[in-house]
Amino acid sequence: MFNDKIQLPIFFSIAVLTIIYFFYKNPTNYQLTDKIVYVSNIFTYEEKDYKKCRVETWNNKTTWEIPRVEKLELLAKNNITSNEGLEDGELRLISAFLYENEVVVTTSRQRTSEFGTTAYCRYFDCNRVEIPGSIYKAFFFPLTSVHCLRKAGASYMSLSLAAQDELPEPIPFTHRLFDKPQYELGVCGGQIYGMDAKWMQITEFVEHHKLIGARMFYFSVFEIDGMTRMILDEYERSGFAEVSMINTEYTNAAMMRHMVQIHECFYRARNHSKWLLNIDHDEYLIPTGQSILSYIRSLGESAAELVFAIRRVAKFNESLQKYKNIQEVSNDIQMANYNLTNEAGYAAPKVMYRPDKVYATLLHWGYGMEPGFKVHAVPRDIAFLNHYRTISRNFLWSEFMAKLIRQKAKFVQETLPSDYLEKLRGNVVRVVGYVFDKHSVKCESIPWVLRFISKPYLDKLKIYCKS
Ligand SMILES: *[C@@H]1O[C@H](CO)[C@@H](O)[C@H](O)[C@H]1NC(C)=O
Ligand SMILES: *[C@@H]1O[C@H](CO)[C@@H](O)[C@H](O)[C@H]1NC(C)=O
Ligand SMILES: *[C@@H]1O[C@H](CO)[C@@H](O)[C@H](O)[C@H]1NC(C)=O
Ligand SMILES: *[C@@H]1O[C@H](CO)[C@@H](O)[C@H](O)[C@H]1NC(C)=O
Ligand SMILES: *[C@@H]1O[C@H](CO)[C@@H](O)[C@H](O)[C@H]1NC(C)=O
């Protein structure tokens, strides 16, 4: 009497109606008997029940010396990277980067006066049981990070300040065991903090640098609004970004966490991206002479750091905060909207470096590098950075720009090629549209039997479709 096509909707309808029935029947006049059910035991998962850990080939390695340890000790002794953080911070772990011959654990602790002091590396197996006799005495360098040995069978790492200290929860490894870096050019996206929505800025930042050749983006998040998180999720999903979620003990002061982000990005990128552009998400690399990848390839293998001139571009309005429609997004491309700028200069420049060749990273540049490697200042007609500085808010960073304007400094108008801007606009619109452009369920897409039978109930629940 029924064919297969009809049976399925009927089955679903009955299921839905049953759920709705129980929902409405949620009884309030229950009848209580005298019976009491005693539960005397809940069985927990004890160490004696653990399965033995299987050591995998990648994890069957122990090392006996930190690579370049004398160099790191010397830099620590000379307080290199020590003077840029807060004099504070609990020992909270961010990441444990697993390299061929060492593990680097990054933290949000930055005690400048206890710089270079002892930290103990602690190793845990797949069951999170500490590996006997594995404890290793190391030291903080740079400011927030600790270089540890590798131990066969370790799956998780933690740190402690004294050998007997209580430990922060051990964290898993982030694998950096590659024969060659996976990406030729990666980009740090700076610190993300504050609850103003940055989804528009970050989408344009990523789409622009994708267009010029970057394939990986590293973000450090201290505080974030939901919409910006959705954009970062989308870039993680599509394999263009890695996000470090950093939970400090502070309600504010995220701004003073710059060094935490710098070191996190540096070690995350090492052995992962060959070149790392160390900028914030309001800075844009503009290659005008040739493509940036063909330029760095032309410098040969001895280049380890490039220094770029910066222009400051006055950004008069805030970026979009709420998503209303895709037209507003299309109209909010800052590279197209703002053109008032000063001449590009090398004061407080930003750099691109090879994290595997530079010993440490200071605020904006690398410190020390492998012998034989060189720093290049990139001529302004090859490439420079545009730094979009908001001047609409009375905010610390905007004051510099506002002052120049008040002093009637000499500004120029920079026009960027319109075909490039249209390509960028199209890409931003595509990503933002994918994430935020939504519509409600269409009635036509619900099987008619279900629609017919369940309409009165769904109407009551106000979750019915729109035509
Ligand atoms: C680990 O290395 C040891 C020798 O060092 C070897 O005997 C063992 O088979 C290796 N195990 C795995 C899983 O590779
Ligand atoms: C490094 O800093 C410590 C503590 O502030 C200080 O005692 C020491 O003299 C400094 N070392 C150098 C080489 O500046
Ligand atoms: C900036 O905001 C003002 C009003 O606050 C508006 O008139 C102007 O069009 C905006 N400019 C841009 C480029 O969005
Ligand atoms: C710069 O931007 C302003 C305001 O948007 C615009 O009126 C002007 O034409 C632009 N200048 C150039 C050279 O494109
Ligand atoms: C990884 O980085 C280390 C330290 O800078 C370097 O010695 C090594 O050659 C790099 N390995 C790969 C595969 O990039």
Side-chain angles (χ1 to χ4, degrees):
M1 158 185 161
F2 291 129
N3 64 27
D4 287 353
K5 275 215 172 96
I6 292 203
Q7 271 176 22
L8 201 62
I10 286 180
F11 173 77
F12 273 117
S13 313
I14 290 169
V16 168
L17 287 176
T18 308
I19 291 166
I20 289 168
Y21 175 78
F22 281 111
F23 187 83
Y24 277 98
K25 277 297 275 190
N26 187 13
T28 46
N29 288 327
Y30 52 83
Q31 294 206 329
L32 190 59
T33 67
D34 290 339
K35 191 174 167 197
I36 297 176
V37 182
Y38 289 97
V39 176
S40 57
N41 216 343
I42 293 181
F43 287 90
T44 55
Y45 191 45
E46 302 293 339
E47 207 166 317
K48 64 177 169 43
D49 305 324
Y50 290 172
K51 278 174 102 171
K52 198 169 173 305
C53 287
R54 210 173 78 85
V55 177
E56 314 252 353
T57 317
W58 64 264
N59 200 16
N60 198 13
K61 178 155 184 170
T62 298
T63 56
W64 307 100
E65 187 173 75
I66 303 293
R68 308 187 295 196
V69 70
E70 310 81 22
K71 190 77 200 171
L72 301 179
E73 277 166 355
L74 189 68
L75 294 173
K77 215 171 278 162
N78 285 304
N79 296 341
I80 301 302
T81 76
S82 79
N83 53 355
E84 292 162 348
L86 279 186
E87 181 49 51
D88 208 349
E90 286 176 6
L91 180 60
R92 293 190 176 211
L93 312 183
I94 305 171
S95 307
F97 298 109
L98 182 73
Y99 308 106
E100 195 53 46
N101 294 310
E102 63 181 336
V103 180
V104 174
V105 183
T106 53
T107 77
S108 57
R109 180 182 187 271
Q110 31 177 3
R111 305 273 168 119
T112 55
S113 67
E114 294 167 29
F115 191 66
T117 52
T118 300
Y120 291 89
C121 304
R122 312 285 292 261
Y123 301 83
F124 298 80
D125 69 10
C126 74
N127 290 316
R128 294 180 172 269
V129 174
E130 188 157 15
I131 298 174
S134 64
I135 190 164
Y136 171 68
K137 189 174 174 210
F139 57 93
F140 278 92
F141 183 83
L143 191 58
T144 64
S145 315
V146 178
H147 290 245
C148 297
L149 295 176
R150 287 195 59 180
K151 301 274 174 175
S155 294
Y156 299 89
M157 293 264 340
S158 188
L159 296 175
S160 61
L161 300 177
Q164 304 79 17
D165 256 10
E166 212 173 288
L167 296 172
E169 183 72 37
I171 54 173
F173 293 123
T174 303
H175 286 235
R176 290 300 181 249
L177 301 174
F178 302 112
D179 291 336
K180 285 256 152 54
Q182 299 291 286
Y183 306 99
E184 192 166 4
L185 177 57
V187 183
C188 295
Q191 320 166 72
I192 296 183
Y193 63 91
M195 293 311 277
D196 55 317
K198 296 172 198 68
W199 53 273
M200 188 67 212
Q201 278 161 282
I202 283 172
T203 310
E204 186 179 339
F205 170 81
V206 171
E207 292 309 315
H208 165 71
H209 289 98
K210 270 164 68 180
L211 277 173
I212 66 163
R215 285 295 174 270
M216 179 47 65
F217 296 82
Y218 306 100
F219 292 100
S220 293
V221 173
F222 293 85
E223 295 163 335
I224 194 165
D225 64 285
M227 291 182 75
T228 310
R229 179 70 237 200
M230 282 171 81
I231 288 289
L232 292 184
D233 284 345
E234 171 56 16
Y235 283 125
E236 280 197 302
R237 181 191 73 88
S238 53
F240 280 108
E242 290 191 357
V243 179
S244 309
M245 296 301 293
I246 303 173
N247 182 8
T248 72
E249 70 274 29
Y250 291 97
T251 55
N252 57 355
M255 201 178 79
M256 302 303 290
R257 309 265 112 188
H258 202 89
M259 294 317 292
V260 174
Q261 174 262 323
I262 291 267
H263 297 315
E264 172 68 13
C265 185
F266 181 82
Y267 287 110
R268 189 169 277 280
R270 198 177 82 168
N271 289 182
H272 196 235
S273 289
K274 180 173 179 184
W275 284 91
L276 180 64
L277 181 58
N278 183 19
I279 55 177
D280 290 330
H281 55 262
D282 53 4
E283 293 168 325
Y284 289 60
L285 182 63
I286 320 271
T288 56
Q290 56 178 301
S291 98
I292 199 66
L293 291 179
S294 67
Y295 176 70
I296 54 185
R297 286 173 204 157
S298 77
L299 295 175
E301 279 301 306
S302 67
E305 182 166 334
L306 308 183
V307 181
F308 295 100
I310 296 198
R311 287 176 185 285
R312 297 210 159 72
V313 186
K315 182 178 166 190
F316 290 99
N317 292 7
E318 291 285 356
S319 292
L320 274 184
Q321 292 287 299
K322 287 212 167 73
Y323 177 84
K324 277 202 221 102
N325 56 58
I326 207 71
Q327 193 53 48
E328 280 193 354
V329 170
S330 177
N331 292 342
D332 199 45
I333 303 299
Q334 57 186 14
M335 286 183 88
N337 290 351
Y338 304 109
N339 59 23
L340 189 66
T341 175
N342 61 350
E343 296 289 359
Y346 291 94
K350 287 280 175 101
V351 304
M352 185 194 275
Y353 43 47
R354 286 188 61 176
D356 61 336
K357 298 298 174 221
V358 165
Y359 290 138
T361 178
L362 303 187
L363 200 52
H364 288 171
W365 46 86
Y367 186 89
M369 55 181 62
E370 297 271 338
F373 286 87
K374 292 194 201 106
V375 182
H376 294 261
V378 179
R380 275 173 277 211
D381 58 358
I382 296 285
F384 56 84
L385 285 160
N386 263 0
H387 182 176
Y388 289 86
R389 282 211 161 172
T390 307
I391 65 163
S392 63
R393 303 180 279 181
N394 183 20
F395 188 59
L396 183 63
W397 304 136
S398 65
E399 185 47 28
F400 176 84
M401 205 63 199
K403 201 166 146 197
L404 286 180
I405 292 174
R406 282 200 300 273
Q407 290 169 346
K408 306 221 176 333
K410 290 226 163 27
F411 282 92
V412 294
Q413 287 175 37
E414 173 195 68
T415 66
L416 301 173
S418 56
D419 56 340
Y420 179 81
L421 293 175
E422 288 323 302
K423 208 187 286 177
L424 175 66
R425 199 189 300 278
N427 292 358
V428 170
V429 161
R430 191 172 330 116
V431 172
V432 172
Y434 184 84
V435 177
F436 295 132
D437 198 12
K438 316 248 180 205
H439 61 76
S440 52
V441 172
K442 287 200 184 72
C443 297
E444 305 83 80
S445 56
I446 300 179
W448 70 268
V449 180
L450 189 58
R451 213 185 317 163
F452 178 74
I453 300 178
S454 54
K455 187 168 187 323
Y457 304 98
L458 292 175
D459 274 350
K460 266 194 196 144
L461 295 171
K462 290 194 177 27
I463 57 168
Y464 205 51
C465 59
K466 288 214 174 69
S467 282

